[in-house]
């Protein structure tokens, strides 16, 4: 039955993806250039979740757009810093560079961004978004053009996760005319970045090719003096072919291919709090072998057809391959390093080994966390636009057939510590620690209708997810996967996810926003049989104000979980099985405020620009039931306990000056201390991050029409602060870092 349904779905997608041979015509009254603009706008509406700043006012829910100008202004390569400008975003820093982000929206869990939809150009970007949603791969921000964030009821079309929201990263578009760009920067910690882009559109054919190389020796000081940074190479190419604007029906075909590899000398091992107070940037000798190597390959083919004034079809085929091997410390003297660093007096012998003290053979166990992933699918969106004098409707129907897989084939090596150097004493056998494959096949459908009636906009919609999960565990002795000790687990999840958003234009500049929708996240393969899907009912209500000077938004939200899912991720302080477990009822209550204004326009509009933006988030996320778990950040939970790593208050602001050739922008990030284990009342300082206020400065000077210089400073005051105490020990934020460079455009 399953195979029959898959074949039927493939046939249906193929049928609706191929334009009819019947000659349609569209009769726009505008000139050809305007017609092309209209077609481009419709195309962007299908592949983007927000579009442009001007479209935000039309969205019945919280939406943010970080424009290319904003991205270039600060030149962040850390997605955590990029998203600080958006309210409602929860972040747990880890390595200081944002290479493996931990992002949540509106109280959804931050662990490896597994509870939100991360997309690139509208396509799910996690290595295996259904079967292993933890985002160990994240698109490189050094080549991303703009960022969209969508929350609330209007994001149910971007499943499978519908509780927190969706983040869509827009890659560099194919330029409309010949464009060449070269950028070179150097900075602290022997960092360097080289980026190049060349592209053009000639008549109906366009292309873009970009290359990025980033290197950094790292800001942490490993006891043996080795590097703690990374090396990244990223290549992306696009080719586009389109029909004439006056063709019987307009078509556009775009091919995108990319390759990324990374070597990062990163570890899960932090410090004791006592050692952090003395040397916050230290790294113990016990992490000297830790390194992650990754390769990522992506392919996307997208076809857009505007069949008439009222009908368009967008179809996409996509495939990604991702492999990673994170070779990192697993235990010392048979004990989890997290336990050693949390209770150093109890495990003094193990702590001394971590610091470089001599040990017996195999005292240090280092696991090769070798995993391979693929994600692939085909999807189509059919849109029908109809209207009359009073009512306009944009009806969308989407269908996607998706399959992804995670393959674990892991082992552990034994080392001894000798005079601060780790020496291999026992080589493990591949497959002896984890030897399993988890996969998912998903059929997703949604219907959404945008109905505009006078000053009202109604956006009802419903999503359907039918997911087949399979977990094949071959055991720790069947290295050839002959199936002699095979344990299989299969299950199916079906879910209907409704939602509706409503906006009302109170007057020309003020809009009322409201919505209600169902939140959903599926449990991953390997979870126990009693694990349920994550379920919630989510509400939002707010006001949006926008005129030529000021843009402001205030939105209250309430997410009522009937069942929250916890994830046993090593990155979150768990054992690393990735199994999920029921956490019961949870309530998340919050408020989002954001505002932006150009102060210069208020007093004396002219060449001077003084952009000011402020955003604030209040979040109260509490468990509503008692339970016990083996997940150390939660442990024994009582009703009323706050969920860890979700700050109650967040405040971020930016003030800039742009005058003639000079631009200077100051950003401020404030976060209070966050509890790192579930609890209530005053934070326990032994189980909390530090509160911090960090300033960044970004500046650029237009030296010539085609040449500009820039100088950026991260953490201007060089504050040292704890951002996390998981997976094992406390970890620092990025110290003061200077980056300067040159940009040349053609």
């Amino acid at each position: 039955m399953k195979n029959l349904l898959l074949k039927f779905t493939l046939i249906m997608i193929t049928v609706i993806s191929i334009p009819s041979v019947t000659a349609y015509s569209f009769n726009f009254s505008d000139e050809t250039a305007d017609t092309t603009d209209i077609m481009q706008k419709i195309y962007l509406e299908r592949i983007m979740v927000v579009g442009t700043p001007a479209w935000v006012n039309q969205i019945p829910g919280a939406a943010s757009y970080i424009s290319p100008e904003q991205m270039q202004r600060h030149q962040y390569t850390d997605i955590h810093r990029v998203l600080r400008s958006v309210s409602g975003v929860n972040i747990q820093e880890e390595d200081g560079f944002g290479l493996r982000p931990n992002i949540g929206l509106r109280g959804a869990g931050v662990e490896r961004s597994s509870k939100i939809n991360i997309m690139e150009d509208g396509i799910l970007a996690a290595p295996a978004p259904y079967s292993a949603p933890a985002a160990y791969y994240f698109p490189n921000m050094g080549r991303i053009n703009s960022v969209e964030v969508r929350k609330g009821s209007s994001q149910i079309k971007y499943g499978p996760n519908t509780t927190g929201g969706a983040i869509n990263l827009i890659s560099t578009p194919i330029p409309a005319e010949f464009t060449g760009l070269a950028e070179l920067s150097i900075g602290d910690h022997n960092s360097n970045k080289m980026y190049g882009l060349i592209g053009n559109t000639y008549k109906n054919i366009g292309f873009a090719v970009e290359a990025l190389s980033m290197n950094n020796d790292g800001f942490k000081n490993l006891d043996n003096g080795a590097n703690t940074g990374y090396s990244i190479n990223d290549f992306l190419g696009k080719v586009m072919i389109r029909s004439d604007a006056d063709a019987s029906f307009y078509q556009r075909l775009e091919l995108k291919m990319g390759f990324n590899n990374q070597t990062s000398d990163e570890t899960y091992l932090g410090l004791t709090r006592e050692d952090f107070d003395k040397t916050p940037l230290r790294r113990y000798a016990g992490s000297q072998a830790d390194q992650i190597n990754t390769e990522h390959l992506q392919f996307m083919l997208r076809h857009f057809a505007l069949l008439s004034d009222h009908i368009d079809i967008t179809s996409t085929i996509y495939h990604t391959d991702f492999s990673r091997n994170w070779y990192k410390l697993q235990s010392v003297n048979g004990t989890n390093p997290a336990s050693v660093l949390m209770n150093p007096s109890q495990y003094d012998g193990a702590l001394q080994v971590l610091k470089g003290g001599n040990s017996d053979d195999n005292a240090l166990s280092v696991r090769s966390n070798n995993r391979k992933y693929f994600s692939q699918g085909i999807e189509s969106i059919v849109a029908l636009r109809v209207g009359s004098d009073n009512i306009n409707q944009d009806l969308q129907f989407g269908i996607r057939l998706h399959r992804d897989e995670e393959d674990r084939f892991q082992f552990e090596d034994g080392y001894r510590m000798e005079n601060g150097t780790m020496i291999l004493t026992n080589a493990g056998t591949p497959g002896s620690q984890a030897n399993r494959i988890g996969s998912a096949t998903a059929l997703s459908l949604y219907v959404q209708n945008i109905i505009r009636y006078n000053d009202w906009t109604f956006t009802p919609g419903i999503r359907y997810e039918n997911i087949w999960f399979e977990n094949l565990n071959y055991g720790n002795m069947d290295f050839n996967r002959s199936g002699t000790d095979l344990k299989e687990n299969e299950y199916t999840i079906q879910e209907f996810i409704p939602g509706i958003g409503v906006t009302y234009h109170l007057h020309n500049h003020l809009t009322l926003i409201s919505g209600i929708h169902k939140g959903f996240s599926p449990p991953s393969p390997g979870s126990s049989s009693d694990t349920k899907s994550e379920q919630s009912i989510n509400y939002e209500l707010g006001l949006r104000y926008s005129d030529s000077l000021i843009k402001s938004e205030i939105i209250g939200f309430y997410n009522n979980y009937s069942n929250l899912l916890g994830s046993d991720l090593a990155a979150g302080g768990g054992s690393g099985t990735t199994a999920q477990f029921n956490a019961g009822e949870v309530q998340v209550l919050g408020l989002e405020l954001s505002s932006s204004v150009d102060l210069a326009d208020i007093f004396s509009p002219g060449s001077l620009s003084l952009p000011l933006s402020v955003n604030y988030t209040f979040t109260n996320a509490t468990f509503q039931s008692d339970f016990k778990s083996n997940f150390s950040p939660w442990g024994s939970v009582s009703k009323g306990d706050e969920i860890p790593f979700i700050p109650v208050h967040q405040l971020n602001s930016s003030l800039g000056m742009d005058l003639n050739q000079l631009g200077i922008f100051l950003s401020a990030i404030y976060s209070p201390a966050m509890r790192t284990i579930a609890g209530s009342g005053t934070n326990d300082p032994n189980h909390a991050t530090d509160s911090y206020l960090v300033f960044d400065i970004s500046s650029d000077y237009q030296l010539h029409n085609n040449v500009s210089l820039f100088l950026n400073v991260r953490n201007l005051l060089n504050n040292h602060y704890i951002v996390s105490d998981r997976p094992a020990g406390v970890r620092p934020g990025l110290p003061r870092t200077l980056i300067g460079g040159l940009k040349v455009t053609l």
Side-chain angles (χ1 to χ4, degrees):
M1 181 64 185
K2 172 182 171 182
N3 291 333
L4 182 62
L5 181 56
L6 292 178
K7 292 178 181 179
F8 174 75
T9 305
L10 282 171
I11 293 171
M12 290 302 296
I13 293 178
T14 304
V15 168
I16 65 174
S17 300
I18 301 174
S20 168
V21 296
T22 305
Y24 291 91
S25 64
F26 50 92
N27 300 312
F28 294 119
S29 59
D30 301 325
E31 297 296 327
T32 301
D34 295 327
T35 301
T36 304
D37 290 343
I38 292 172
M39 290 184 289
Q40 179 70 7
K41 178 179 183 295
I42 295 172
Y43 175 70
L44 291 177
E45 284 180 339
R46 303 301 172 240
I47 67 171
M48 299 176 74
V49 305
V50 175
T52 68
W55 299 359
V56 170
N57 290 334
Q58 306 170 23
I59 294 175
S64 300
Y65 178 73
I66 303 173
S67 67
E69 293 75 21
Q70 291 172 284
M71 296 287 289
Q72 287 297 314
R73 178 184 300 165
H74 298 288
Q75 294 188 328
Y76 287 139
T77 56
D78 180 348
I79 182 61
H80 288 155
R81 275 178 150 80
V82 171
L83 291 176
R84 293 289 187 184
S85 63
V86 179
S87 59
V89 178
N90 308 120
I91 289 170
Q92 178 207 326
E93 293 190 45
E94 181 175 320
D95 53 32
F97 299 119
L99 298 180
R100 281 158 289 279
N102 298 284
I103 304 167
L105 297 173
R106 290 187 170 178
V110 299
E111 294 86 1
R112 282 286 177 264
S113 311
S114 58
K115 291 296 185 68
I116 58 177
N117 299 311
I118 302 293
M119 300 181 289
E120 181 177 330
D121 296 330
I123 299 300
L124 294 171
Y130 281 84
S131 60
Y136 285 94
Y137 165 79
F138 200 89
N140 196 320
M141 297 307 297
R143 63 166 181 80
I144 294 299
N145 185 65
S146 57
V147 178
E148 307 174 287
V149 181
R150 196 148 176 177
K151 297 163 286 185
S153 61
S154 60
Q155 52 94 19
I156 63 169
K157 58 186 287 189
Y158 310 110
N161 304 299
T162 63
T163 301
I167 297 176
N168 190 30
L169 310 173
I170 305 298
S171 64
T172 305
I174 295 173
E177 57 187 23
F178 178 78
T179 300
L181 173 64
E183 180 183 320
L184 172 66
S185 67
I186 57 175
D188 285 338
H189 323 303
N190 285 326
S191 67
N192 63 78
K193 173 185 171 184
M194 294 181 288
Y195 173 79
L197 165 72
I198 186 169
N200 192 15
T201 297
Y202 178 72
K203 295 184 178 179
N204 294 336
I205 299 176
F207 77 95
V209 178
E210 56 184 335
L212 172 68
S213 175
M214 297 172 58
N215 298 274
N216 194 308
D217 286 351
F219 61 86
K220 296 175 186 174
N221 302 313
L222 191 57
D223 285 347
N224 69 353
N227 289 344
T228 59
Y230 60 84
S231 175
I232 297 174
N233 297 295
D234 204 321
F235 306 94
L236 191 75
K238 294 181 179 180
V239 177
M240 179 272 296
I241 303 173
R242 66 188 181 195
S243 61
D244 293 330
D246 58 354
S248 56
F249 57 82
Y250 177 81
Q251 297 184 79
R252 174 189 171 111
L253 184 68
E254 183 172 317
L255 172 66
K256 168 184 164 185
M257 296 185 68
F259 174 78
N260 172 293
N261 65 14
Q262 176 188 146
T263 296
S264 180
D265 298 308
E266 191 50 67
T267 181
Y268 275 5
L269 189 67
L271 302 172
T272 66
R273 290 179 182 263
E274 181 181 2
D275 284 339
F276 183 91
D277 292 338
K278 297 175 184 177
T279 52
L281 302 184
R282 179 185 181 184
R283 246 182 70 176
Y284 294 140
S287 67
Q288 62 189 259
D290 291 14
Q291 186 180 84
I292 180 171
N293 290 276
T294 72
E295 284 192 359
H296 182 266
L297 177 68
Q298 62 170 311
F299 164 89
M300 184 192 76
L301 182 65
R302 174 171 281 148
H303 177 262
F304 171 77
L306 184 64
L307 303 184
S308 72
D309 293 3
H310 309 293
I311 302 174
D312 63 82
I313 300 175
T314 307
S315 301
T316 308
I317 301 173
Y318 59 90
H319 179 92
T320 64
D321 285 308
F322 179 65
S323 61
R324 51 147 282 193
N325 189 355
W326 199 337
Y327 192 68
K328 63 178 184 288
L329 184 68
Q330 185 71 15
S331 65
V332 54
N333 289 351
T335 303
N336 187 321
S339 300
V340 175
L341 300 181
M342 186 176 295
N343 305 286
S345 60
Q346 183 179 344
Y347 298 100
D348 182 65
L351 180 60
Q352 296 311 312
V353 174
L354 290 178
K355 292 182 177 183
N358 292 344
S359 75
D360 296 332
D361 288 355
N362 302 327
L364 295 153
S365 180
V366 181
R367 178 170 294 184
S368 175
N369 292 273
N370 182 38
R371 306 176 193 175
K372 294 182 178 180
Y373 304 80
F374 75 78
S375 175
Q376 62 189 22
I378 179 171
E379 67 177 25
S380 283
I381 302 171
V382 181
L384 173 64
R385 295 172 300 280
V386 296
S388 62
D389 293 339
N390 296 322
I391 300 178
N392 289 290
Q393 299 183 64
D394 186 348
L395 178 63
Q396 297 180 31
F397 169 75
I399 180 171
R400 178 176 70 203
L401 181 63
H402 173 97
R403 180 170 174 81
D404 59 47
E405 178 182 284
E406 179 197 45
D407 185 337
R408 293 189 174 209
F409 200 65
Q410 304 178 177
F411 63 93
E412 288 183 8
D413 291 336
Y415 287 81
R416 76 169 182 267
M417 187 71 73
E418 186 174 305
N419 299 323
T421 299
M422 292 173 59
I423 299 174
L424 181 67
T425 53
N426 182 61
T429 302
S432 59
Q433 286 298 327
N435 185 6
R436 59 184 174 87
I437 299 174
S439 62
T441 302
L443 172 63
S444 307
L445 304 101
Y446 78 85
V447 178
Q448 177 179 275
N449 195 13
I450 303 174
I451 306 168
R452 299 179 177 90
Y453 173 70
N454 294 332
D455 293 326
W456 293 89
T457 300
F458 303 90
T459 310
I462 188 167
R463 182 177 191 83
Y464 171 71
E465 291 278 357
N466 193 341
I467 313 167
W468 299 274
F469 287 110
E470 183 179 44
N471 189 54
L472 304 177
N473 193 334
Y474 291 90
N476 296 335
M477 297 299 294
D478 185 7
F479 309 130
N480 295 320
R481 293 182 170 175
S482 61
T484 56
D485 191 29
L486 179 63
K487 295 180 176 60
E488 297 183 65
N489 181 28
E490 295 185 8
Y491 58 96
T492 301
I493 292 176
Q494 299 182 53
E495 199 74 34
F496 286 95
I497 308 162
I500 183 170
V502 180
T503 64
Y504 177 67
H505 295 283
L506 297 172
H507 64 68
N508 290 337
H509 305 299
L510 189 63
T511 303
L512 175 69
I513 307 165
S514 63
I516 178 174
H517 77 284
K518 182 177 181 178
F520 165 76
S521 285
S524 61
S527 303
S528 64
S529 58
D530 63 347
T531 302
K532 304 175 183 176
S533 298
E534 186 168 278
Q535 304 274 354
S536 64
I537 303 297
N538 308 318
Y539 310 82
E540 65 180 346
L541 180 65
L543 291 170
R544 182 181 291 137
Y545 180 86
S546 178
D547 63 17
S548 58
L549 292 177
I550 301 174
K551 292 178 174 55
S552 297
E553 193 173 79
I554 176 171
I555 297 179
F557 63 89
Y558 173 59
N559 296 347
N560 187 15
Y561 290 82
S562 58
N563 184 50
L564 177 73
L565 282 181
S567 299
D568 182 27
L569 298 175
S575 62
T577 66
T578 71
Q580 294 180 304
F581 53 89
N582 303 320
E585 298 178 6
V586 168
Q587 291 183 358
V588 181
L589 181 68
L591 182 69
E592 301 168 354
L593 299 170
S594 61
S595 186
S596 62
V597 60
D598 193 323
L599 298 176
D601 286 346
I602 296 178
F603 302 107
S604 56
S607 59
L608 175 65
S609 177
L610 298 171
L612 171 67
S613 64
V614 179
N615 73 79
Y616 165 78
T617 305
F618 166 80
T619 310
N620 178 250
T622 57
F623 293 102
Q624 298 299 305
S625 56
D626 302 339
F627 67 94
K628 293 183 179 181
S629 76
N630 294 323
F631 184 53
S632 57
W634 291 3
S636 181
V637 174
S638 299
K639 181 178 180 180
D641 283 353
E642 296 177 348
I643 299 177
F645 286 100
I646 298 178
V648 177
H649 305 282
Q650 294 181 89
L651 179 64
N652 306 285
S653 62
S654 175
L655 176 62
M657 184 199 73
D658 209 336
L659 178 63
N660 299 324
Q661 291 86 16
L662 178 64
I664 301 176
F665 301 89
L666 175 67
S667 300
I669 302 168
Y670 170 73
S671 179
M674 294 185 291
R675 64 174 71 251
T676 60
I677 61 172
S680 58
T682 304
N683 287 349
D684 180 351
N686 293 317
H687 298 287
T689 65
D690 290 336
S691 63
Y692 58 87
L693 176 62
V694 173
F695 294 95
D696 292 348
I697 285 185
S698 303
S699 61
D700 64 88
Y701 181 76
Q702 195 72 31
L703 191 65
H704 184 269
N705 289 339
N706 300 323
V707 180
S708 62
L709 303 175
F710 58 87
L711 178 64
N712 305 319
V713 185
R714 315 295 188 224
N715 192 357
L716 178 66
L717 302 181
N718 198 29
N719 295 334
H720 294 294
Y721 52 95
I722 295 173
V723 296
S724 177
D725 65 358
R726 60 181 183 181
V730 297
R731 309 171 73 86
L734 183 74
R736 180 168 54 217
T737 303
L738 281 72
I739 304 168
L742 172 75
K743 183 186 297 184
V744 179
T745 58
L746 300 177

